[in-house]
Amino acid sequence: MGEVNSFIQSVPLEYFIILSTILFCLGVLGVLIRKNAIIILGCVELMLNSVNLLLAAFSAYKGDAHGQLLVFFIMVVAAAEVAVGLAIIAMMYRNTKSVDVSIFNKLRG
């Protein structure tokens, strides 16, 4: 474990912050711009994984495993979110034969 931490610490922390920020911004843009429900779900996962990357990097730099434990729990929540999201998308496709989220405007009273 010490070799991995020393390898991660050899990369400047700013690189992890920049990469995580870029990934998070791409995920936000994908959620705001795209209309396909599957792509929106993928963009939400991209945002969660960018936060996981940052937490793991900070944890490795600090030399504490608490951040990596939090990353594990976020991954469990993300897996549950994907399962629920895909079930909703499957029901949406079954009823409307489309995964375009603009169809949900019809749900307004």
Side-chain angles (χ1 to χ4, degrees), residues 18-109:
I18 292 169
L19 177 62
S20 181
T21 303
I22 291 170
L23 289 175
F24 192 84
C25 289
L26 285 174
V28 169
L29 282 174
V31 167
L32 293 177
I33 294 174
R34 302 300 293 231
K35 294 188 181 211
N36 188 334
I38 296 172
I39 293 180
I40 290 173
L41 189 64
C43 290
V44 170
E45 289 296 317
L46 183 64
M47 290 188 295
L48 283 172
N49 284 328
S50 70
V51 172
N52 282 343
L53 172 68
L54 201 56
L55 276 171
F58 282 141
S59 176
Y61 270 83
K62 188 177 178 184
D64 188 16
H66 292 284
Q68 293 171 2
L69 186 64
L70 186 60
V71 166
F72 175 74
F73 284 117
I74 291 173
M75 291 177 87
V76 169
V77 169
E81 177 252 336
V82 166
V84 171
L86 286 177
I88 290 171
I89 290 171
M91 291 301 296
M92 183 174 75
Y93 182 76
R94 183 185 301 173
N95 292 331
T96 64
K97 300 296 185 223
S98 175
V99 291
D100 189 10
V101 294
S102 63
I103 291 174
F104 285 126
N105 288 337
K106 295 178 183 177
L107 295 177
R108 294 182 184 167

